[in-house]
Structures are given as structure tokens and as C-alpha cells.
Amino acid sequence: MISKTTSSIPDAANILGKGGLVAFPTETVYGLGADARCESAIQRIFLVKERPMQHPLIVHIGRKEEVETWAEEIPPAAWQLMDRFWPGPLTVLLKKKASVSVLLTGGQPTVGLRMPNHPIALSLLKSFGRGVAGPSANKFTKVSPTTSAAVWDELGKDIDLILEGDACQVGLESTIIDLSQFPYKILRPGHITPSDIKACLNCEIDYGTSGKVLVPGMHKIHYAPNTHTTLIDPSEVKVLVDRAIQSHSPVCFLLLDPLEYKSNATITWQYMPRHPENYARALYRTLRQLDQQGYSHIFIQTPPQGEVWQAIHDRLIKSSAPR
Ligand code: TXA
Ligand code: MG
């Protein structure tokens, strides 16, 4: 039975106003919200998530006019992207104003801003009327929650309220683009692809996580279930099956292509959707479910190449990184 949940926007905004922590749904994943101007609330986010302080938080806003209260020297490209993709799963990094706390930005000279495309998140942001710091509502390096039940399992006892919503439609975190220097650089792939951005800006963009900027890619392991996961090619399945049967260790294969094998006490087969949007929507929910099953290992078929699978590859590679 889930307690500490509400569907009341005024109650949630009220708790934010008192420096409390409120988890809220967005179209990507659930966020862990706090008043972005309240340093004690920001500190509590880092404590609850067990996240190192140098990892900046994204500020969520409900109106484009608020951009200028957080950022300065905003290039025209930023307005073009915000006009095209907001509200939506795109976070822009812009030069921060001097008044923005370095606690929020992890000491970076930039601030991340995003307007989520979710009616509950937008109502909360408009009702609160100010920026809401919102990392994903999970412990550091773990799988982001895409349902309110997952937030409850992950952080329920440590936070003040969970604003309830449906399962997240996108299912993976927003695309992050650094617009504070040229060439602009995508730091985290997401639903909005490099081609989408190039088509909007009509210029080349870089891709990568190098440099001083701290993004999840700087850590080898991220988005990880507790059960060890490995990315595999279907040609490896037979050897892995034989090995699991010999060692009597229960394993799960998370596949795209049906195989001729039958399930038995040791081996479980589970299939992911073949469409990348559906795959993304299902991924974290599936990893959380499988994490409850006591498998010694989850083997995940490497998805196809191509830009529309890029964000999925990124998350799978990081969740399967050596520990
Ligand atoms: O979809 C999303 O972006 C979700 C929902 C809740 O909006 N939020 C999210 O936040 O994924 P978080 O904190 O879990 O991931 C944001 C990443 C962090 O790893 C952080 O290092 C990076 O973005 N980031 C944020 N602001 C940054 C900045 N100013 N400079 C460099 N990296 C930044
Ligand atoms: Mg996160």
C-alpha cells in the first residue's frame, strides 16, 4: 500500500514552498523535485539520492520567460530549440546567472533548464511559480523510476510526497545539449535525436561526454539494476545457456528476436518491443521487474544500430559496465 502519495497540485506546491522534496511525473522519468532556490532542499536531494555534490541538477520551469532568471548570454539557437522542442524531453545547458547557486550547478558555470511535456509536471511548475530542481527520483547510479510505485520503492521513506501520475511515456531521460559554447554538444542522447536538433538549427553539432562537464557518462556504471547485466549477440546464447545450466544459476535473456529455446527452471526468456519508442518506454520498468526475480545474471540482446536506438544503447552500455 503506497502512502505519502497525492494527486493534489496545491499540496505538492505547498511542500515545495516549505523546502520539502516532492517526486513528480514527467514524460521522461519521475523527477525528485525541490525549490531550486532553496539550498537546504538542494542539499537534501544529494543526501537522499546519495549523489556526489559535483553532479549538477536540472532546473524545471513552466514558462519560457523564466529562462532569463537562470541563464544569461542566451544564444539565438537556444530560443530556436526551446520554441521547437519545449515543452519536451530536451535539457539545454546555458551560462548561469551569478545569482544561481553553485550547489545547484555542481560548481559548473552553466545551468541545465528543461520544460517537461507532462500536464501534471506543468501544473505543478505553474502553481509553484518558480524553478524546480529535478534529478531522476532514484539512488545515484540506479535505474530511473518510470512509475510512482517505483519511486515509492526507491525513495519513498526519504521524501515528503509523491505526486502521482501514469507510467512515463518516453521512459528514458531527456536529451542534454550544451549551448554554452560552440560547437554545441550533445552530452546525453535521448528521444530528441542529433538529426532533430540539426534540422532545427541548421548547423553541425558535436556528440560526446568528454571535457570537464559532469554527466552520467563520466561514470562507468549508471542506470544499473542490482542484478548484473551483460549485452550479448544472439550467437552467444547457446554457450551462455549451457554455462547457466551447468552452474544451476538462474538467468534471464532479454531479447528482441524469438529463439527456439524453451524456458526451464534455470533459463527465462523475455522479449522487448521491436520499435525503439516502445522499447525505451518499457526498458526501466522491465529492468526493475527482473531485478525482483533473483536472477544471477540478465543477458540483454544488443539492439540494432542507428540514431533512433542511440539513447537505448547509451543506457544499456552504462547499466552493463563492469562494477
Ligand atoms: O529527463 C530528465 O532529464 C530527468 C527528468 C526528471 O526531468 N532528469 C534527469 O536528471 O535525468 P538527472 O539529474 O538524473 O540527470 C541530469 C544529468 C546529471 O547527470 C548532470 O550531471 C547533468 O545532467 N547536468 C545537469 N546540469 C548540468 C550542467 N550544468 N552541466 C553539466 N551537466 C549537467
Ligand atoms: Mg539520473
Side-chain angles (χ1 to χ4, degrees):
M1 168 78 182
I2 296 178
S3 57
K4 282 200 203 173
T5 60
T6 186
S7 53
S8 163
I9 302 284
D11 285 358
N14 190 27
I15 289 188
L16 287 176
K18 290 181 180 156
L21 299 188
V22 177
F24 62 101
T26 82
E27 79 280 35
T28 57
V29 299
Y30 274 69
L32 177 57
D35 181 348
R37 292 278 182 199
C38 175
E39 292 207 333
S40 59
I42 293 170
Q43 266 164 339
R44 211 176 131 208
I45 284 190
F46 285 98
L47 272 177
V48 163
K49 279 182 63 74
E50 298 166 20
R51 167 159 157 160
M53 297 290 290
Q54 70 271 30
H55 282 255
L57 305 179
I58 295 169
V59 179
H60 295 67
I61 54 178
R63 296 173 307 125
K64 256 181 243 159
E65 297 81 81
E66 290 174 60
V67 168
E68 278 155 310
T69 64
W70 298 96
E72 59 189 22
E73 297 175 27
I74 303 164
W79 295 112
Q80 280 169 262
L81 288 176
M82 293 185 278
D83 287 343
R84 170 72 184 79
F85 296 111
W86 278 10
L90 180 72
T91 297
V92 294
L93 302 189
L94 296 167
K95 184 169 181 225
K96 82 172 188 72
K97 282 205 152 167
S99 57
V100 177
S101 167
V102 288
L103 267 188
L104 184 76
T105 65
Q108 297 290 332
T110 53
V111 61
L113 298 172
R114 161 162 137 78
M115 188 190 292
N117 186 14
H118 191 289
I120 296 174
L122 286 173
S123 297
L124 176 67
L125 293 168
K126 284 176 187 156
S127 166
F128 183 57
R130 299 198 298 277
V132 171
S136 50
N138 53 280
K139 297 278 184 192
F140 185 58
T141 76
K142 296 298 178 190
V143 178
S144 301
T146 55
T147 61
S148 51
V151 178
W152 172 251
D153 289 344
E154 181 94 11
L155 300 178
K157 64 179 183 344
D158 303 320
I159 64 179
D160 300 306
L161 197 65
I162 300 171
L163 189 53
E164 277 186 302
D166 290 340
C168 301
Q169 279 300 305
V170 174
L172 296 181
E173 305 80 356
S174 60
T175 307
I176 301 180
I177 184 162
D178 184 0
L179 302 172
S180 69
Q181 44 198 316
F182 201 76
Y184 306 132
K185 191 174 193 180
I186 294 183
L187 299 180
R188 180 172 71 184
H191 179 75
I192 294 173
T193 63
S195 298
D196 294 334
I197 292 173
K198 278 186 216 158
C200 176
L201 297 184
N202 210 6
C203 69
E204 280 308 305
I205 44 167
D206 270 6
Y207 176 73
T209 51
S210 59
K212 284 195 218 130
V213 182
L214 286 157
V215 290
M218 298 287 284
H219 274 256
K220 279 195 195 130
I221 182 117
H222 217 105
Y223 318 109
N226 295 319
T227 316
H228 283 229
T229 61
T230 304
L231 281 172
I232 58 153
D233 183 84
S235 63
E236 297 173 81
V237 168
K238 192 174 174 335
V239 172
L240 294 168
V241 166
D242 291 346
R243 204 179 290 162
I245 289 172
Q246 266 166 25
S247 62
H248 304 287
S249 356
V251 299
C252 178
F253 287 86
L254 194 56
L255 303 176
L256 281 158
D257 303 315
L259 283 179
E260 296 291 306
Y261 293 95
K262 289 211 170 70
S263 286
N264 60 37
T266 312
I267 315 287
T268 303
W269 307 99
Q270 187 148 331
Y271 296 97
M272 290 296 285
R274 289 209 62 94
H275 191 283
E277 282 181 18
N278 298 337
Y279 190 114
R281 191 176 301 135
L283 179 62
Y284 288 160
R285 177 171 35 87
T286 305
L287 290 178
R288 278 179 179 276
Q289 280 165 359
L290 296 181
D291 226 4
Q292 308 297 317
Q293 310 298 315
Y295 297 117
S296 66
H297 216 111
I298 304 167
F299 295 105
I300 305 175
Q301 180 180 348
T302 306
Q305 293 300 318
E307 196 182 61
V308 288
W309 291 93
Q310 194 178 21
I312 293 166
H313 271 274
D314 173 74
R315 306 310 190 271
L316 287 177
I317 287 167
K318 284 172 192 151
S319 69
S320 304
R323 304 182 180 204

